[in-house]
Amino acid sequence: LVSTVPYLGCSALVLLQPTVNILPNFPPTTAVLNMSNDLSNRFSVIQPDILDDLRQSFDEIDLDRSDSISTSELGALFRAVGEDLPGYKLREITAELDKNKDGTISFEEFVAVYADMKSSHIAHSFKKAVATKQGIVKKGGMSGVSVEGTTHSYSEEEKTAFADWINSNLADDGDCKPYLEIDVNTDEMFTKIQDGILLCKMINLSCPDTIDERAINKAKLNQYKITENLNLALNSASAIGCNIVNIGSVDLQEGKPHLVLGLLWQIIRIGLFAQIDLQHNPGLVQLLKEGEEMEDLLKLSPEELLLRWVNYHLEKAGCPNRIHNFGVDIKDSEAYTYLLNQIAPPDRGVDLGPLKENDPEQRAELMLQNADKLDCRAFVTPKDVVRGNSKLNTAFVANLFNTWPALDLPEEMPDMEGLEETREEKTFRNWMNSLGVSPYVNHLYSDLVDGLILFQTYDKVKPGAVDWGRVNRKFKALGGNMKKMENCDYAVELGKDMKFSLVGVGGKDIFDGNETLTLGLVWQLMRAYTLALLHNLKGSEGPIKDREIVDWVNATLQTAGKKTSLSSFKDPEISTSHVVLDLIDAIKPGSINYTNVQGGSNADERLSNAKYAISMARKIGARVYAFPEDLVEVKPKMVLTVFACLMATGLKNKV
């Protein structure tokens, strides 16, 4: 059972998921998580890519990320997806949606009107507007869980943008040359990713050294080697934080467009956003507003930082307008024209000339010619700009930022100590994101302070554990912090119910972002999730003990005739990775090429072995989140997850 993904989501630490999620591509928002069974059923009939369109449009209006909009903003929301409804229809919809008359409409309520086939006089026009958006291509029966006659749509614009990005960024990679010059006028891209090599290369482009090149099958490819490559790509994508649900190697070999584009977007997005933080760009401190502290800047998502960056340069350029999204606000190319002129070096020939052109599409073309002078014409065409394609325009701006941030360091730099994300923090954050939590976790501590991400994680670890009736999901200015604190108290209570070690930990510690105590709680969630998977596979009566994993490792090694052994997760011999590599070869005989394995007598050899071991573990089916350095340094927590994942893979192979 190779568990995986279209747009988001993932199963866990190993490629195992015995059940099929009825919402494979939809991030489980707090609203959705509290839906009735009836509403859940209505969600399940909507295609994932349509849900993605709805969510994008909703989020553009929901600027405060409260997961609700005011009834007065509903008209703007429908216009954002191409439907300008008359006032009487808006009043009908408002009356139907805002049942509790609180003046706000949640995302679940908004989708309900779309999903409810009985309300055809309201839903039909909206369904038609979304389903017939320009640039959308429909394919029939593209999913393993689809019934005959269903369709999955995908965007031609996205296909073109991603193919161009692959062509330009992998041009110097000798292994990729046979795959490049992808023809964007055909479906060639979906066939060229089918053996997994391009996907592995794209992952390493976004997150360098994620995949050890020695683990990629590059020559004499047969069905078996192709499947290994695709498993390696999928597990590695999950390890960097991609949400992979209900997609397997077979789906990718068949080149299913909506799944391929969804996976590629996640990989590209992670790479584009990787540098948009204070660690890589300390000049971002220039974006602090009056009265704000560094902590306030750290709480912003990459998208929010990009908006601030654009507006910062618009102000410096003397532009009277500001943008609030990368959709409707950039359609006229005015903001882009001012931005490009402001950040461009004087010798690049960039100017404000496009503003003289009245035709929107022609103006966008002239603006993109300016972007080309900065080597940044990527992701968008003039039509994408004029139509306000928020996904592709966000990518365009992120690429601009990464190339020409134009942010000088202030004369007095604030204290930056402790801002760098640790390996442990990154591991936990990637794990939570791979589970499909929503919103995306950008900052481990500040993004958990309202408890909502923790509740979603608890529900993944132990389905049904969370009483969603006790969860506060909306936070107003007055009393909002108290509601968040109540959530954090409940999150700690759930941990204690699950026998976590939380002595001295209170909800206020999570709300305050106490790093040590928050890490302790998240680690125990990750450990419980991993061991629960093992428990289900092994069929044990009680919880899996650490010793059981160690004993299984040694028994498997001995049966395979290996000389290595494991005494505990603190065994210093783990630093060479020999025991890990032997276990992988014992689970899948012949998988390890021992000419790649070094003695481990020095730091370089140990790191080389660890990189190979982590990639090979993923290649045989283990969803490993640990870094190679965790093996070299023998970090017991991460070492446990590696061996637990391998044990689960071994048990699965025997089923």
Side-chain angles (χ1 to χ4, degrees):
L1 293 174
V2 182
S3 213
T4 43
V5 276
Y7 276 71
L8 323 129
C10 145
S11 49
L13 296 173
V14 287
L15 282 175
L16 300 168
Q17 199 63 299
T19 60
V20 176
N21 187 345
I22 64 168
L23 303 175
N25 298 322
F26 182 63
T29 64
T30 54
V32 174
L33 290 169
N34 197 32
M35 289 189 302
S36 66
N37 289 333
D38 176 63
L39 191 53
S40 296
N41 291 335
R42 286 194 280 177
F43 264 74
S44 68
V45 303
I46 301 178
Q47 296 302 333
D49 20 36
I50 299 300
L51 281 170
D52 186 55
D53 285 335
L54 300 182
R55 168 52 72 180
Q56 279 191 31
S57 300
F58 190 91
D59 286 347
E60 284 185 7
I61 306 299
D62 181 25
L63 296 178
D64 63 356
R65 295 297 184 265
S66 63
D67 212 45
S68 64
I69 62 172
S70 66
T71 53
S72 63
E73 294 171 322
L74 186 64
L77 177 53
F78 274 87
R79 286 192 295 275
V81 290
E83 185 72 1
D84 191 4
L85 298 181
Y88 78 91
K89 278 199 172 184
L90 287 173
R91 287 191 291 275
E92 282 184 351
I93 294 172
T94 299
E96 180 169 340
L97 290 181
D98 190 20
K99 298 294 187 184
N100 58 4
K101 308 302 179 187
D102 66 350
T104 64
I105 298 170
S106 69
F107 182 64
E108 73 192 65
E109 293 170 327
F110 176 67
V111 174
V113 101
Y114 178 88
D116 195 344
M117 298 299 292
K118 294 179 181 179
S119 301
S120 59
H121 67 292
I122 294 175
H124 179 70
S125 60
F126 185 50
K127 282 175 175 283
K128 183 179 178 181
V130 176
T132 61
K133 284 176 67 179
Q134 292 185 358
I136 296 295
V137 176
K138 290 186 176 181
K139 295 285 186 180
M142 296 301 296
S143 168
V145 295
S146 297
V147 295
E148 187 175 355
T150 61
T151 61
H152 290 279
S153 58
Y154 70 91
S155 164
E156 282 283 352
E157 288 85 358
E158 289 180 21
K159 183 188 76 173
T160 299
F162 300 164
D164 282 343
W165 186 251
I166 292 171
N167 281 336
S168 61
N169 283 273
L170 297 180
D172 296 331
D173 190 314
D175 294 327
C176 295
K177 288 193 182 297
Y179 302 89
L180 300 185
E181 300 303 324
I182 299 171
D183 185 354
V184 299
N185 297 312
T186 69
D187 287 343
E188 193 174 58
M189 184 174 72
F190 304 124
T191 60
K192 288 196 170 182
I193 59 88
Q194 290 174 335
D195 65 12
I197 292 177
L198 274 186
L199 284 175
C200 288
K201 296 289 186 174
M202 284 297 294
I203 290 169
N204 275 349
L205 176 68
S206 287
C207 295
D209 295 326
T210 297
I211 297 176
D212 190 315
E213 290 278 341
R214 295 171 294 178
I216 305 173
N217 298 323
K218 300 176 182 178
K220 298 180 180 179
L221 296 180
N222 54 31
Q223 183 62 46
Y224 177 78
K225 290 183 177 181
I226 288 172
T227 300
E228 285 188 326
N229 278 350
L230 291 170
N231 285 340
L232 172 61
L234 288 169
N235 285 329
S236 300
S238 178
I240 65 173
C242 291
N243 181 355
I244 311 234
V245 163
N246 293 336
I247 179 176
S249 58
V250 173
D251 300 305
L252 296 179
Q253 285 184 66
E254 293 176 359
K256 295 180 178 178
H258 65 294
L259 303 185
V260 172
L261 291 178
L263 179 57
L264 281 175
W265 167 240
Q266 290 187 85
I267 294 169
I268 291 170
R269 178 188 181 277
I270 287 170
L272 288 173
F273 287 177
Q275 307 294 312
I276 306 175
D277 58 32
L278 285 165
Q279 176 190 343
H280 296 95
N281 277 288
L284 284 169
V285 298
Q286 296 280 23
L287 306 186
L288 279 170
K289 295 181 178 179
E290 186 176 352
E292 286 186 336
E293 303 290 339
M294 288 290 288
E295 290 74 16
D296 298 307
L297 203 61
L298 289 172
K299 294 176 183 178
L300 299 179
S301 69
E303 292 93 338
E304 290 168 327
L305 284 172
L306 286 175
L307 283 172
R308 281 206 183 189
W309 176 71
V310 173
N311 288 327
Y312 169 82
H313 283 300
L314 292 181
E315 182 178 3
K316 291 187 68 177
C319 177
N321 298 323
R322 302 291 179 268
I323 68 169
H324 305 285
N325 56 67
F326 294 117
V328 295
D329 286 1
I330 53 81
K331 287 183 175 184
D332 61 6
S333 296
E334 179 181 302
Y336 282 164
T337 300
Y338 276 106
L339 172 65
L340 290 167
N341 186 62
Q342 179 65 28
I343 65 177
D347 61 349
R348 291 293 179 123
V350 176
D351 57 30
L352 297 175
L355 297 179
K356 299 176 183 178
E357 174 60 56
N358 292 324
D359 180 77
E361 199 162 320
Q362 286 298 319
R363 180 190 291 183
E365 170 57 32
L366 293 173
M367 177 275 295
L368 288 174
Q369 289 177 18
N370 274 341
D372 198 26
K373 295 174 183 178
L374 298 177
D375 302 316
C376 287
R377 183 165 186 160
F379 293 110
V380 293
T381 64
K383 286 185 178 180
D384 297 326
V385 176
V386 173
R387 291 173 182 169
N389 186 314
S390 59
K391 179 185 293 183
L392 296 183
N393 277 284
T394 299
F396 171 71
V397 175
N399 185 48
L400 267 179
F401 174 89
N402 290 332
T403 311
W404 302 98
L407 293 172
D408 297 327
L409 295 177
E411 293 183 4
E412 293 187 13
M413 277 291 293
D415 184 15
M416 306 281 283
E417 186 178 354
L419 296 183
E420 183 176 355
E421 186 177 41
T422 67
R423 283 203 317 270
E424 188 176 32
E425 291 164 351
K426 183 178 290 187
T427 300
F428 294 158
R429 184 172 60 80
N430 287 343
W431 169 67
M432 297 178 93
N433 284 325
S434 76
L435 295 178
V437 298
S438 180
Y440 192 88
V441 182
N442 294 296
H443 311 291
L444 188 63
Y445 306 111
S446 59
D447 288 355
L448 302 187
V449 297
D450 62 10
L452 297 178
I453 296 294
L454 288 172
F455 292 135
Q456 293 175 57
T457 308
Y458 272 115
D459 226 28
K460 297 288 185 180
V461 173
K462 187 179 180 181
V466 179
D467 177 0
W468 290 98
R470 291 186 56 181
V471 175
N472 301 309
R473 295 178 288 123
K474 296 182 180 180
F475 310 102
K476 298 182 179 179
L478 185 62
N481 285 341
M482 185 63 68
K483 295 291 186 182
K484 292 178 182 179
M485 192 93 72
E486 290 175 359
N487 279 356
C488 291
D489 285 337
Y490 182 36
V492 173
E493 179 185 325
L494 285 172
K496 292 179 178 178
D497 289 344
M498 294 176 66
K499 310 302 181 185
F500 290 176
S501 176
L502 296 172
V503 178
V505 180
K508 189 175 186 303
D509 299 309
I510 308 302
F511 177 78
D512 290 341
N514 183 299
E515 296 182 8
T516 301
L517 300 181
T518 300
L519 284 176
L521 173 58
V522 176
W523 156 243
Q524 291 182 81
L525 277 166
M526 186 179 189
R527 184 179 187 277
Y529 187 81
T530 311
L531 297 184
L533 290 172
L534 274 180
H535 172 80
N536 292 335
L537 282 167
K538 199 167 184 290
S540 304
E541 293 185 3
I544 298 288
K545 303 293 185 182
D546 291 4
R547 192 70 231 173
E548 290 181 70
I549 301 174
V550 173
D551 290 343
W552 180 88
V553 169
N554 287 326
T556 304
L557 290 169
Q558 185 176 13
T559 300
K562 304 295 183 181
K563 296 180 180 180
T564 53
S565 63
L566 180 70
S567 61
S568 73
F569 300 130
K570 298 179 181 179
D571 190 333
E573 292 300 316
I574 294 170
S575 66
T576 67
S577 296
H578 289 164
V579 64
V580 181
L581 290 161
D582 278 350
L583 181 60
I584 293 168
D585 199 65
I587 294 171
K588 213 158 199 179
S591 58
I592 297 298
N593 180 353
Y594 279 94
T595 62
N596 291 327
V597 181
Q598 303 185 49
S601 60
N602 58 55
D604 289 341
E605 289 185 352
R606 289 191 289 274
L607 183 59
S608 174
N609 286 349
K611 289 179 177 179
Y612 185 50
I614 293 295
S615 286
M616 290 305 299
R618 293 168 181 160
K619 185 175 179 178
I620 69 166
R623 184 151 298 170
V624 173
Y625 287 85
F627 287 87
E629 291 83 356
D630 295 323
L631 292 179
V632 174
E633 298 170 14
V634 194
K635 298 292 186 181
K637 292 178 182 177
M638 292 300 105
V639 167
L640 180 151
T641 65
V642 171
F643 283 110
C645 289
L646 287 170
M647 179 178 176
T649 303
L651 292 174
K652 176 176 71 76
N653 289 345
K654 292 182 178 180
V655 174

